[in-house]
Amino acid sequence: MVELKNVDVHYNDGLKGGIDALNDVNIRINDGEFVFIVGSSGAGKSTLLKLLTREIQPTKGRVFVNDYNLSKLKNRKLPYFRRSLGMIFQDFRLIPNLTVYENVAFVLRVIDKSKRYIRQRVPYVLNLVKLGDKAKCYPSQLSGGEQQRVAIARAFACDPQIIIADEPTGNIDPALSYEIVELLMDINECGTTVIMVTHDHEIVRHFGGRVINLKDGSVDYDDYMEGGR
Amino acid sequence: MRMSNFSYLVKRGVGSVFRNAMMSFASFCVLLVSLFLVSVSCLLAYDLGVVFANIEEKNEIDVFVQGSVTQEQLTHITDAININTNTDRFIFYSKDEAWADQQASNPEFTEVFDQFNAIEENPMPHTFRVTVKDISIISQTADEFATIEGVEKVAAPYDFASALVDIRSTLTAIGITLLVVLILTSIIIIYNSIRSSVFTRQKELNIMKVVGATNAFVKIPFFIEGMFIGIAAGVASWFITKLTYDAIVGLFQSNFEIWQIFGMVDIMSFDSVTWIVLAANCVLGALLGAIGTVISTAKYLKV
């Protein structure tokens, strides 16, 4: 569960009193939901994601993610909180000198899973994203869509409660974008909450579901939209 | 942490030494030069200490006893010298021994001595030759001996002792400064080399933090990398130090007669300290590498 209560984020840039990135934002996302977060540049999408991963703290208000009160979360507990999230980025963020298998296994090593578990889990998630045959490839040998599927496999490998995808279709062909979102929908059907930030309105219209539109740092729209698929 | 995951991190640390070969080589060279200079400085400083100790050994206070001294007074003087805290050891050089030595060392004046002996008594005084523990207070010790009842006068190489003390203090100060400067320079250069290496892997560090790696998990491979380079530099430094030290000692020993005066005969051989030098180089190398790594990664862990 994700809950933001009366959240303000103010950036001090030293000029004319700074910038209000978020103003009195109230959002609640229940377990198992699939939510699109949309908005134009500067609307506050990135700030919202940074709040959810506790890269920043709110100036005012409270943020709860997976039963963690992020305002009170101590730095030494931060890694353990982040293990309850799966992150997917626009630029994939795969480790270039590790193979596909090693990239996925890496997060399992981070959370101190046994060798045996890793040997079973990695092929399973790679098959889930249809990359079982690319396990020995390096990221540079894959297409953008394939790299993003590896990133999805990595995010899902730890079986997180929430997957946060930051513009996951931003760097791949439009035709492959639908495939990526469908993959995320499949993961969501397994019970994982998915929060996907995008500026691709076509995708949102195609899939529908809960859509939160941010405008000038505030929630402009938060409702369910009928999909066209 | 599981053993399998720990060994994975160790493998990654060692692997990245070779993956970032150029950076590793730069760090290795910096460490090697620093460790080598520190090792050679320490060994030569130790030898210099031995040389000075030998020179100091040759510094004696001559305590001349009055001619009219009684046996009781002689015992009193012996006791007073014996209990002085700066007395290391002493020998009693009797007036008879002194006179006999005087005659033996001047055989060309045998007749003069014979004539002198016929009309005069032995003119030499009893003497105590005292070797002191601390040469820097030789003057004070000599003054104390001069106040003992029955002592005629005291002779000590005050100027030589003072010069020796000055040279020793100056060399010690230079040695310590050199050591501190070398260690600090090493840490700074290692810090910069590893920081560049860490900077090129900033993305990797960021990913690690985002997926929930603890600081320790992120640092271990870098730590191992720093230690590995440090130990390798330590072994290489030990080897070069051995070659250099043996060459320097060989050079000095070829002029044996001159250096014997300064006590070079007591200079240690490298073989007697080889394991200590190897261990010290490896430990110091590993420590410098590890410290440099820990400091340079800290900045990039604030994700």
Side-chain angles (χ1 to χ4, degrees), chain A residues 79 82-83 93 98 106-107 109-110 112-114, chain B residues 1-2 5 8 12 206-208 211-213 303:
Chain A
R82 286 185 177 158
R83 290 173 192 183
R93 295 201 196 170
L98 295 184
F106 182 76
V107 288
R109 290 200 174 96
V110 164
D112 209 23
K113 290 291 183 189
S114 71
Chain B
M1 187 184 291
R2 282 172 203 275
N5 288 334
Y8 168 78
R12 269 189 69 75
N206 187 278
I207 296 166
M208 287 182 182
V211 298
V303 182

mmCIF file with all atom_site columns, all heavy atoms in Angstrom, chain A residues 79 82-83 93 98 106-107 109-110 112-114, chain B residues 1-2 5 8 12 206-208 211-213 303:
data_model
loop_
_atom_site.group_PDB
_atom_site.id
_atom_site.type_symbol
_atom_site.label_atom_id
_atom_site.label_alt_id
_atom_site.label_comp_id
_atom_site.label_asym_id
_atom_site.label_entity_id
_atom_site.label_seq_id
_atom_site.pdbx_PDB_ins_code
_atom_site.Cartn_x
_atom_site.Cartn_y
_atom_site.Cartn_z
_atom_site.occupancy
_atom_site.B_iso_or_equiv
_atom_site.pdbx_formal_charge
_atom_site.auth_seq_id
_atom_site.auth_comp_id
_atom_site.auth_asym_id
_atom_site.auth_atom_id
_atom_site.pdbx_PDB_model_num
ATOM 1   N N   . PRO A 1 79  ? 18.038 0.410   2.924   1.00 0.00 ? 79  PRO A N   1
ATOM 2   C CA  . PRO A 1 79  ? 18.212 -0.708  1.983   1.00 0.00 ? 79  PRO A CA  1
ATOM 3   C C   . PRO A 1 79  ? 17.127 -1.766  2.126   1.00 0.00 ? 79  PRO A C   1
ATOM 4   O O   . PRO A 1 79  ? 16.660 -2.328  1.134   1.00 0.00 ? 79  PRO A O   1
ATOM 5   C CB  . PRO A 1 79  ? 19.579 -1.285  2.367   1.00 0.00 ? 79  PRO A CB  1
ATOM 6   C CG  . PRO A 1 79  ? 20.292 -0.174  3.028   1.00 0.00 ? 79  PRO A CG  1
ATOM 7   C CD  . PRO A 1 79  ? 19.232 0.616   3.740   1.00 0.00 ? 79  PRO A CD  1
ATOM 8   N N   . ARG A 1 82  ? 13.992 -0.602  0.480   1.00 0.00 ? 82  ARG A N   1
ATOM 9   C CA  . ARG A 1 82  ? 14.089 -0.622  -0.991  1.00 0.00 ? 82  ARG A CA  1
ATOM 10  C C   . ARG A 1 82  ? 13.981 -2.038  -1.554  1.00 0.00 ? 82  ARG A C   1
ATOM 11  O O   . ARG A 1 82  ? 13.637 -2.221  -2.714  1.00 0.00 ? 82  ARG A O   1
ATOM 12  C CB  . ARG A 1 82  ? 15.390 0.036   -1.448  1.00 0.00 ? 82  ARG A CB  1
ATOM 13  C CG  . ARG A 1 82  ? 15.309 1.551   -1.305  1.00 0.00 ? 82  ARG A CG  1
ATOM 14  C CD  . ARG A 1 82  ? 16.500 2.247   -1.850  1.00 0.00 ? 82  ARG A CD  1
ATOM 15  N NE  . ARG A 1 82  ? 16.338 3.696   -1.742  1.00 0.00 ? 82  ARG A NE  1
ATOM 16  C CZ  . ARG A 1 82  ? 17.340 4.553   -1.742  1.00 0.00 ? 82  ARG A CZ  1
ATOM 17  N NH1 . ARG A 1 82  ? 18.578 4.125   -1.832  1.00 0.00 ? 82  ARG A NH1 1
ATOM 18  N NH2 . ARG A 1 82  ? 17.110 5.845   -1.645  1.00 0.00 ? 82  ARG A NH2 1
ATOM 19  N N   . ARG A 1 83  ? 14.277 -3.019  -0.721  1.00 0.00 ? 83  ARG A N   1
ATOM 20  C CA  . ARG A 1 83  ? 14.147 -4.405  -1.182  1.00 0.00 ? 83  ARG A CA  1
ATOM 21  C C   . ARG A 1 83  ? 12.686 -4.805  -1.359  1.00 0.00 ? 83  ARG A C   1
ATOM 22  O O   . ARG A 1 83  ? 12.382 -5.829  -1.962  1.00 0.00 ? 83  ARG A O   1
ATOM 23  C CB  . ARG A 1 83  ? 14.805 -5.349  -0.182  1.00 0.00 ? 83  ARG A CB  1
ATOM 24  C CG  . ARG A 1 83  ? 16.313 -5.208  -0.197  1.00 0.00 ? 83  ARG A CG  1
ATOM 25  C CD  . ARG A 1 83  ? 16.963 -6.002  0.875   1.00 0.00 ? 83  ARG A CD  1
ATOM 26  N NE  . ARG A 1 83  ? 18.360 -5.622  1.004   1.00 0.00 ? 83  ARG A NE  1
ATOM 27  C CZ  . ARG A 1 83  ? 19.211 -6.194  1.836   1.00 0.00 ? 83  ARG A CZ  1
ATOM 28  N NH1 . ARG A 1 83  ? 18.804 -7.186  2.614   1.00 0.00 ? 83  ARG A NH1 1
ATOM 29  N NH2 . ARG A 1 83  ? 20.459 -5.786  1.892   1.00 0.00 ? 83  ARG A NH2 1
ATOM 30  N N   . ARG A 1 93  ? 19.193 0.792   -16.773 1.00 0.00 ? 93  ARG A N   1
ATOM 31  C CA  . ARG A 1 93  ? 20.161 0.702   -15.658 1.00 0.00 ? 93  ARG A CA  1
ATOM 32  C C   . ARG A 1 93  ? 20.611 -0.725  -15.373 1.00 0.00 ? 93  ARG A C   1
ATOM 33  O O   . ARG A 1 93  ? 20.577 -1.193  -14.225 1.00 0.00 ? 93  ARG A O   1
ATOM 34  C CB  . ARG A 1 93  ? 19.603 1.361   -14.398 1.00 0.00 ? 93  ARG A CB  1
ATOM 35  C CG  . ARG A 1 93  ? 19.415 2.837   -14.601 1.00 0.00 ? 93  ARG A CG  1
ATOM 36  C CD  . ARG A 1 93  ? 19.373 3.587   -13.307 1.00 0.00 ? 93  ARG A CD  1
ATOM 37  N NE  . ARG A 1 93  ? 18.825 4.916   -13.534 1.00 0.00 ? 93  ARG A NE  1
ATOM 38  C CZ  . ARG A 1 93  ? 18.476 5.762   -12.598 1.00 0.00 ? 93  ARG A CZ  1
ATOM 39  N NH1 . ARG A 1 93  ? 18.610 5.423   -11.335 1.00 0.00 ? 93  ARG A NH1 1
ATOM 40  N NH2 . ARG A 1 93  ? 18.002 6.946   -12.886 1.00 0.00 ? 93  ARG A NH2 1
ATOM 41  N N   . LEU A 1 98  ? 28.008 -7.217  -16.577 1.00 0.00 ? 98  LEU A N   1
ATOM 42  C CA  . LEU A 1 98  ? 27.408 -8.476  -16.099 1.00 0.00 ? 98  LEU A CA  1
ATOM 43  C C   . LEU A 1 98  ? 26.472 -9.017  -17.169 1.00 0.00 ? 98  LEU A C   1
ATOM 44  O O   . LEU A 1 98  ? 25.824 -8.243  -17.880 1.00 0.00 ? 98  LEU A O   1
ATOM 45  C CB  . LEU A 1 98  ? 26.620 -8.233  -14.815 1.00 0.00 ? 98  LEU A CB  1
ATOM 46  C CG  . LEU A 1 98  ? 27.382 -7.783  -13.568 1.00 0.00 ? 98  LEU A CG  1
ATOM 47  C CD1 . LEU A 1 98  ? 26.423 -7.702  -12.378 1.00 0.00 ? 98  LEU A CD1 1
ATOM 48  C CD2 . LEU A 1 98  ? 28.510 -8.750  -13.237 1.00 0.00 ? 98  LEU A CD2 1
ATOM 49  N N   . PHE A 1 106 ? 22.113 -10.581 -9.447  1.00 0.00 ? 106 PHE A N   1
ATOM 50  C CA  . PHE A 1 106 ? 22.742 -9.570  -8.603  1.00 0.00 ? 106 PHE A CA  1
ATOM 51  C C   . PHE A 1 106 ? 21.808 -9.078  -7.485  1.00 0.00 ? 106 PHE A C   1
ATOM 52  O O   . PHE A 1 106 ? 22.200 -9.007  -6.321  1.00 0.00 ? 106 PHE A O   1
ATOM 53  C CB  . PHE A 1 106 ? 23.190 -8.391  -9.473  1.00 0.00 ? 106 PHE A CB  1
ATOM 54  C CG  . PHE A 1 106 ? 23.883 -7.320  -8.712  1.00 0.00 ? 106 PHE A CG  1
ATOM 55  C CD1 . PHE A 1 106 ? 25.187 -7.486  -8.295  1.00 0.00 ? 106 PHE A CD1 1
ATOM 56  C CD2 . PHE A 1 106 ? 23.223 -6.143  -8.393  1.00 0.00 ? 106 PHE A CD2 1
ATOM 57  C CE1 . PHE A 1 106 ? 25.826 -6.497  -7.567  1.00 0.00 ? 106 PHE A CE1 1
ATOM 58  C CE2 . PHE A 1 106 ? 23.849 -5.162  -7.669  1.00 0.00 ? 106 PHE A CE2 1
ATOM 59  C CZ  . PHE A 1 106 ? 25.155 -5.334  -7.256  1.00 0.00 ? 106 PHE A CZ  1
ATOM 60  N N   . VAL A 1 107 ? 20.548 -8.782  -7.851  1.00 0.00 ? 107 VAL A N   1
ATOM 61  C CA  . VAL A 1 107 ? 19.620 -8.264  -6.833  1.00 0.00 ? 107 VAL A CA  1
ATOM 62  C C   . VAL A 1 107 ? 19.299 -9.333  -5.792  1.00 0.00 ? 107 VAL A C   1
ATOM 63  O O   . VAL A 1 107 ? 19.049 -9.019  -4.625  1.00 0.00 ? 107 VAL A O   1
ATOM 64  C CB  . VAL A 1 107 ? 18.304 -7.721  -7.426  1.00 0.00 ? 107 VAL A CB  1
ATOM 65  C CG1 . VAL A 1 107 ? 18.527 -6.420  -8.143  1.00 0.00 ? 107 VAL A CG1 1
ATOM 66  C CG2 . VAL A 1 107 ? 17.634 -8.730  -8.316  1.00 0.00 ? 107 VAL A CG2 1
ATOM 67  N N   . ARG A 1 109 ? 21.421 -11.553 -4.808  1.00 0.00 ? 109 ARG A N   1
ATOM 68  C CA  . ARG A 1 109 ? 22.602 -11.602 -3.922  1.00 0.00 ? 109 ARG A CA  1
ATOM 69  C C   . ARG A 1 109 ? 22.544 -10.443 -2.935  1.00 0.00 ? 109 ARG A C   1
ATOM 70  O O   . ARG A 1 109 ? 22.922 -10.584 -1.776  1.00 0.00 ? 109 ARG A O   1
ATOM 71  C CB  . ARG A 1 109 ? 23.891 -11.521 -4.737  1.00 0.00 ? 109 ARG A CB  1
ATOM 72  C CG  . ARG A 1 109 ? 24.138 -12.772 -5.536  1.00 0.00 ? 109 ARG A CG  1
ATOM 73  C CD  . ARG A 1 109 ? 25.588 -12.908 -5.946  1.00 0.00 ? 109 ARG A CD  1
ATOM 74  N NE  . ARG A 1 109 ? 25.793 -14.189 -6.583  1.00 0.00 ? 109 ARG A NE  1
ATOM 75  C CZ  . ARG A 1 109 ? 25.777 -14.385 -7.896  1.00 0.00 ? 109 ARG A CZ  1
ATOM 76  N NH1 . ARG A 1 109 ? 25.598 -13.379 -8.725  1.00 0.00 ? 109 ARG A NH1 1
ATOM 77  N NH2 . ARG A 1 109 ? 25.957 -15.588 -8.393  1.00 0.00 ? 109 ARG A NH2 1
ATOM 78  N N   . VAL A 1 110 ? 22.061 -9.297  -3.425  1.00 0.00 ? 110 VAL A N   1
ATOM 79  C CA  . VAL A 1 110 ? 21.941 -8.120  -2.562  1.00 0.00 ? 110 VAL A CA  1
ATOM 80  C C   . VAL A 1 110 ? 21.047 -8.446  -1.361  1.00 0.00 ? 110 VAL A C   1
ATOM 81  O O   . VAL A 1 110 ? 21.331 -8.048  -0.236  1.00 0.00 ? 110 VAL A O   1
ATOM 82  C CB  . VAL A 1 110 ? 21.377 -6.909  -3.356  1.00 0.00 ? 110 VAL A CB  1
ATOM 83  C CG1 . VAL A 1 110 ? 20.884 -5.810  -2.432  1.00 0.00 ? 110 VAL A CG1 1
ATOM 84  C CG2 . VAL A 1 110 ? 22.437 -6.357  -4.297  1.00 0.00 ? 110 VAL A CG2 1
ATOM 85  N N   . ASP A 1 112 ? 20.659 -11.274 -0.162  1.00 0.00 ? 112 ASP A N   1
ATOM 86  C CA  . ASP A 1 112 ? 21.270 -12.407 0.530   1.00 0.00 ? 112 ASP A CA  1
ATOM 87  C C   . ASP A 1 112 ? 20.517 -13.725 0.353   1.00 0.00 ? 112 ASP A C   1
ATOM 88  O O   . ASP A 1 112 ? 20.355 -14.503 1.301   1.00 0.00 ? 112 ASP A O   1
ATOM 89  C CB  . ASP A 1 112 ? 21.412 -12.079 2.031   1.00 0.00 ? 112 ASP A CB  1
ATOM 90  C CG  . ASP A 1 112 ? 22.603 -12.805 2.635   1.00 0.00 ? 112 ASP A CG  1
ATOM 91  O OD1 . ASP A 1 112 ? 23.519 -13.176 1.872   1.00 0.00 ? 112 ASP A OD1 1
ATOM 92  O OD2 . ASP A 1 112 ? 22.620 -13.005 3.865   1.00 0.00 ? 112 ASP A OD2 1
ATOM 93  N N   . LYS A 1 113 ? 20.058 -13.963 -0.883  1.00 0.00 ? 113 LYS A N   1
ATOM 94  C CA  . LYS A 1 113 ? 19.403 -15.251 -1.167  1.00 0.00 ? 113 LYS A CA  1
ATOM 95  C C   . LYS A 1 113 ? 20.465 -16.325 -1.401  1.00 0.00 ? 113 LYS A C   1
ATOM 96  O O   . LYS A 1 113 ? 21.590 -16.021 -1.814  1.00 0.00 ? 113 LYS A O   1
ATOM 97  C CB  . LYS A 1 113 ? 18.520 -15.127 -2.412  1.00 0.00 ? 113 LYS A CB  1
ATOM 98  C CG  . LYS A 1 113 ? 17.279 -14.259 -2.195  1.00 0.00 ? 113 LYS A CG  1
ATOM 99  C CD  . LYS A 1 113 ? 16.291 -14.934 -1.273  1.00 0.00 ? 113 LYS A CD  1
ATOM 100 C CE  . LYS A 1 113 ? 15.027 -14.102 -1.105  1.00 0.00 ? 113 LYS A CE  1
ATOM 101 N NZ  . LYS A 1 113 ? 14.147 -14.630 -0.057  1.00 0.00 ? 113 LYS A NZ  1
ATOM 102 N N   . SER A 1 114 ? 20.067 -17.568 -1.150  1.00 0.00 ? 114 SER A N   1
ATOM 103 C CA  . SER A 1 114 ? 21.041 -18.662 -1.279  1.00 0.00 ? 114 SER A CA  1
ATOM 104 C C   . SER A 1 114 ? 21.348 -18.937 -2.756  1.00 0.00 ? 114 SER A C   1
ATOM 105 O O   . SER A 1 114 ? 20.561 -18.597 -3.645  1.00 0.00 ? 114 SER A O   1
ATOM 106 C CB  . SER A 1 114 ? 20.495 -19.920 -0.629  1.00 0.00 ? 114 SER A CB  1
ATOM 107 O OG  . SER A 1 114 ? 19.446 -20.431 -1.423  1.00 0.00 ? 114 SER A OG  1
ATOM 108 N N   . MET B 2 1   ? 25.646 -12.184 6.325   1.00 0.00 ? 1   MET B N   1
ATOM 109 C CA  . MET B 2 1   ? 25.776 -12.449 4.890   1.00 0.00 ? 1   MET B CA  1
ATOM 110 C C   . MET B 2 1   ? 26.233 -13.900 4.659   1.00 0.00 ? 1   MET B C   1
ATOM 111 O O   . MET B 2 1   ? 27.104 -14.395 5.367   1.00 0.00 ? 1   MET B O   1
ATOM 112 C CB  . MET B 2 1   ? 26.803 -11.481 4.284   1.00 0.00 ? 1   MET B CB  1
ATOM 113 C CG  . MET B 2 1   ? 26.879 -11.559 2.780   1.00 0.00 ? 1   MET B CG  1
ATOM 114 S SD  . MET B 2 1   ? 28.163 -10.517 2.091   1.00 0.00 ? 1   MET B SD  1
ATOM 115 C CE  . MET B 2 1   ? 27.503 -8.901  2.411   1.00 0.00 ? 1   MET B CE  1
ATOM 116 N N   . ARG B 2 2   ? 25.597 -14.516 3.651   1.00 0.00 ? 2   ARG B N   1
ATOM 117 C CA  . ARG B 2 2   ? 25.959 -15.888 3.321   1.00 0.00 ? 2   ARG B CA  1
ATOM 118 C C   . ARG B 2 2   ? 27.378 -15.956 2.772   1.00 0.00 ? 2   ARG B C   1
ATOM 119 O O   . ARG B 2 2   ? 27.831 -15.033 2.099   1.00 0.00 ? 2   ARG B O   1
ATOM 120 C CB  . ARG B 2 2   ? 25.035 -16.425 2.231   1.00 0.00 ? 2   ARG B CB  1
ATOM 121 C CG  . ARG B 2 2   ? 23.691 -16.830 2.715   1.00 0.00 ? 2   ARG B CG  1
ATOM 122 C CD  . ARG B 2 2   ? 22.808 -17.152 1.517   1.00 0.00 ? 2   ARG B CD  1
ATOM 123 N NE  . ARG B 2 2   ? 21.410 -17.007 1.885   1.00 0.00 ? 2   ARG B NE  1
ATOM 124 C CZ  . ARG B 2 2   ? 20.696 -17.941 2.462   1.00 0.00 ? 2   ARG B CZ  1
ATOM 125 N NH1 . ARG B 2 2   ? 21.243 -19.108 2.740   1.00 0.00 ? 2   ARG B NH1 1
ATOM 126 N NH2 . ARG B 2 2   ? 19.427 -17.740 2.778   1.00 0.00 ? 2   ARG B NH2 1
ATOM 127 N N   . ASN B 2 5   ? 27.583 -15.546 -0.988  1.00 0.00 ? 5   ASN B N   1
ATOM 128 C CA  . ASN B 2 5   ? 27.464 -14.175 -1.477  1.00 0.00 ? 5   ASN B CA  1
ATOM 129 C C   . ASN B 2 5   ? 28.714 -13.371 -1.145  1.00 0.00 ? 5   ASN B C   1
ATOM 130 O O   . ASN B 2 5   ? 29.125 -12.501 -1.917  1.00 0.00 ? 5   ASN B O   1
ATOM 131 C CB  . ASN B 2 5   ? 26.225 -13.498 -0.890  1.00 0.00 ? 5   ASN B CB  1
ATOM 132 C CG  . ASN B 2 5   ? 24.954 -14.060 -1.517  1.00 0.00 ? 5   ASN B CG  1
ATOM 133 O OD1 . ASN B 2 5   ? 24.985 -14.557 -2.646  1.00 0.00 ? 5   ASN B OD1 1
ATOM 134 N ND2 . ASN B 2 5   ? 23.862 -14.025 -0.783  1.00 0.00 ? 5   ASN B ND2 1
ATOM 135 N N   . TYR B 2 8   ? 31.270 -14.252 -3.580  1.00 0.00 ? 8   TYR B N   1
ATOM 136 C CA  . TYR B 2 8   ? 30.939 -13.596 -4.862  1.00 0.00 ? 8   TYR B CA  1
ATOM 137 C C   . TYR B 2 8   ? 31.485 -12.161 -4.859  1.00 0.00 ? 8   TYR B C   1
ATOM 138 O O   . TYR B 2 8   ? 32.068 -11.703 -5.851  1.00 0.00 ? 8   TYR B O   1
ATOM 139 C CB  . TYR B 2 8   ? 29.417 -13.588 -5.047  1.00 0.00 ? 8   TYR B CB  1
ATOM 140 C CG  . TYR B 2 8   ? 28.942 -12.687 -6.168  1.00 0.00 ? 8   TYR B CG  1
ATOM 141 C CD1 . TYR B 2 8   ? 29.044 -13.087 -7.498  1.00 0.00 ? 8   TYR B CD1 1
ATOM 142 C CD2 . TYR B 2 8   ? 28.405 -11.424 -5.896  1.00 0.00 ? 8   TYR B CD2 1
ATOM 143 C CE1 . TYR B 2 8   ? 28.621 -12.258 -8.525  1.00 0.00 ? 8   TYR B CE1 1
ATOM 144 C CE2 . TYR B 2 8   ? 27.981 -10.589 -6.919  1.00 0.00 ? 8   TYR B CE2 1
ATOM 145 C CZ  . TYR B 2 8   ? 28.088 -11.014 -8.233  1.00 0.00 ? 8   TYR B CZ  1
ATOM 146 O OH  . TYR B 2 8   ? 27.674 -10.185 -9.247  1.00 0.00 ? 8   TYR B OH  1
ATOM 147 N N   . ARG B 2 12  ? 34.222 -10.460 -7.219  1.00 0.00 ? 12  ARG B N   1
ATOM 148 C CA  . ARG B 2 12  ? 33.967 -9.209  -7.970  1.00 0.00 ? 12  ARG B CA  1
ATOM 149 C C   . ARG B 2 12  ? 35.063 -8.179  -7.704  1.00 0.00 ? 12  ARG B C   1
ATOM 150 O O   . ARG B 2 12  ? 35.508 -7.473  -8.604  1.00 0.00 ? 12  ARG B O   1
ATOM 151 C CB  . ARG B 2 12  ? 32.602 -8.619  -7.586  1.00 0.00 ? 12  ARG B CB  1
ATOM 152 C CG  . ARG B 2 12  ? 31.493 -9.106  -8.482  1.00 0.00 ? 12  ARG B CG  1
ATOM 153 C CD  . ARG B 2 12  ? 30.206 -8.344  -8.240  1.00 0.00 ? 12  ARG B CD  1
ATOM 154 N NE  . ARG B 2 12  ? 30.275 -6.962  -8.685  1.00 0.00 ? 12  ARG B NE  1
ATOM 155 C CZ  . ARG B 2 12  ? 30.227 -6.565  -9.955  1.00 0.00 ? 12  ARG B CZ  1
ATOM 156 N NH1 . ARG B 2 12  ? 30.138 -7.466  -10.916 1.00 0.00 ? 12  ARG B NH1 1
ATOM 157 N NH2 . ARG B 2 12  ? 30.268 -5.293  -10.272 1.00 0.00 ? 12  ARG B NH2 1
ATOM 158 N N   . ASN B 2 206 ? 24.993 3.252   -8.082  1.00 0.00 ? 206 ASN B N   1
ATOM 159 C CA  . ASN B 2 206 ? 23.635 3.760   -7.991  1.00 0.00 ? 206 ASN B CA  1
ATOM 160 C C   . ASN B 2 206 ? 22.630 2.620   -8.099  1.00 0.00 ? 206 ASN B C   1
ATOM 161 O O   . ASN B 2 206 ? 21.675 2.550   -7.316  1.00 0.00 ? 206 ASN B O   1
ATOM 162 C CB  . ASN B 2 206 ? 23.440 4.785   -9.124  1.00 0.00 ? 206 ASN B CB  1
ATOM 163 C CG  . ASN B 2 206 ? 22.117 5.486   -8.998  1.00 0.00 ? 206 ASN B CG  1
ATOM 164 O OD1 . ASN B 2 206 ? 21.109 4.944   -9.428  1.00 0.00 ? 206 ASN B OD1 1
ATOM 165 N ND2 . ASN B 2 206 ? 22.113 6.655   -8.391  1.00 0.00 ? 206 ASN B ND2 1
ATOM 166 N N   . ILE B 2 207 ? 22.880 1.717   -9.042  1.00 0.00 ? 207 ILE B N   1
ATOM 167 C CA  . ILE B 2 207 ? 21.971 0.567   -9.214  1.00 0.00 ? 207 ILE B CA  1
ATOM 168 C C   . ILE B 2 207 ? 21.954 -0.281  -7.936  1.00 0.00 ? 207 ILE B C   1
ATOM 169 O O   . ILE B 2 207 ? 20.912 -0.690  -7.447  1.00 0.00 ? 207 ILE B O   1
ATOM 170 C CB  . ILE B 2 207 ? 22.389 -0.293  -10.430 1.00 0.00 ? 207 ILE B CB  1
ATOM 171 C CG1 . ILE B 2 207 ? 22.255 0.525   -11.711 1.00 0.00 ? 207 ILE B CG1 1
ATOM 172 C CG2 . ILE B 2 207 ? 21.561 -1.564  -10.515 1.00 0.00 ? 207 ILE B CG2 1
ATOM 173 C CD1 . ILE B 2 207 ? 22.946 -0.078  -12.918 1.00 0.00 ? 207 ILE B CD1 1
ATOM 174 N N   . MET B 2 208 ? 23.155 -0.493  -7.399  1.00 0.00 ? 208 MET B N   1
ATOM 175 C CA  . MET B 2 208 ? 23.249 -1.303  -6.172  1.00 0.00 ? 208 MET B CA  1
ATOM 176 C C   . MET B 2 208 ? 22.394 -0.700  -5.058  1.00 0.00 ? 208 MET B C   1
ATOM 177 O O   . MET B 2 208 ? 21.669 -1.408  -4.361  1.00 0.00 ? 208 MET B O   1
ATOM 178 C CB  . MET B 2 208 ? 24.701 -1.353  -5.692  1.00 0.00 ? 208 MET B CB  1
ATOM 179 C CG  . MET B 2 208 ? 25.601 -2.220  -6.525  1.00 0.00 ? 208 MET B CG  1
ATOM 180 S SD  . MET B 2 208 ? 27.231 -2.188  -5.773  1.00 0.00 ? 208 MET B SD  1
ATOM 181 C CE  . MET B 2 208 ? 28.141 -3.198  -6.894  1.00 0.00 ? 208 MET B CE  1
ATOM 182 N N   . VAL B 2 211 ? 18.546 -1.032  -5.683  1.00 0.00 ? 211 VAL B N   1
ATOM 183 C CA  . VAL B 2 211 ? 17.953 -2.356  -5.463  1.00 0.00 ? 211 VAL B CA  1
ATOM 184 C C   . VAL B 2 211 ? 18.066 -2.818  -4.001  1.00 0.00 ? 211 VAL B C   1
ATOM 185 O O   . VAL B 2 211 ? 17.697 -3.930  -3.673  1.00 0.00 ? 211 VAL B O   1
ATOM 186 C CB  . VAL B 2 211 ? 18.531 -3.433  -6.413  1.00 0.00 ? 211 VAL B CB  1
ATOM 187 C CG1 . VAL B 2 211 ? 18.246 -3.087  -7.855  1.00 0.00 ? 211 VAL B CG1 1
ATOM 188 C CG2 . VAL B 2 211 ? 20.014 -3.635  -6.174  1.00 0.00 ? 211 VAL B CG2 1
ATOM 189 N N   . GLY B 2 212 ? 18.577 -1.933  -3.159  1.00 0.00 ? 212 GLY B N   1
ATOM 190 C CA  . GLY B 2 212 ? 18.559 -2.232  -1.723  1.00 0.00 ? 212 GLY B CA  1
ATOM 191 C C   . GLY B 2 212 ? 19.828 -2.820  -1.150  1.00 0.00 ? 212 GLY B C   1
ATOM 192 O O   . GLY B 2 212 ? 19.794 -3.516  -0.134  1.00 0.00 ? 212 GLY B O   1
ATOM 193 N N   . ALA B 2 213 ? 20.954 -2.538  -1.803  1.00 0.00 ? 213 ALA B N   1
ATOM 194 C CA  . ALA B 2 213 ? 22.224 -3.030  -1.247  1.00 0.00 ? 213 ALA B CA  1
ATOM 195 C C   . ALA B 2 213 ? 22.616 -2.178  -0.042  1.00 0.00 ? 213 ALA B C   1
ATOM 196 O O   . ALA B 2 213 ? 22.455 -0.960  -0.074  1.00 0.00 ? 213 ALA B O   1
ATOM 197 C CB  . ALA B 2 213 ? 23.318 -2.952  -2.315  1.00 0.00 ? 213 ALA B CB  1
ATOM 198 N N   . VAL B 2 303 ? 22.825 7.714   -2.029  1.00 0.00 ? 303 VAL B N   1
ATOM 199 C CA  . VAL B 2 303 ? 21.810 7.646   -3.094  1.00 0.00 ? 303 VAL B CA  1
ATOM 200 C C   . VAL B 2 303 ? 20.432 7.667   -2.462  1.00 0.00 ? 303 VAL B C   1
ATOM 201 O O   . VAL B 2 303 ? 20.193 6.910   -1.548  1.00 0.00 ? 303 VAL B O   1
ATOM 202 C CB  . VAL B 2 303 ? 21.970 6.345   -3.927  1.00 0.00 ? 303 VAL B CB  1
ATOM 203 C CG1 . VAL B 2 303 ? 20.944 6.320   -5.031  1.00 0.00 ? 303 VAL B CG1 1
ATOM 204 C CG2 . VAL B 2 303 ? 23.363 6.259   -4.488  1.00 0.00 ? 303 VAL B CG2 1
#
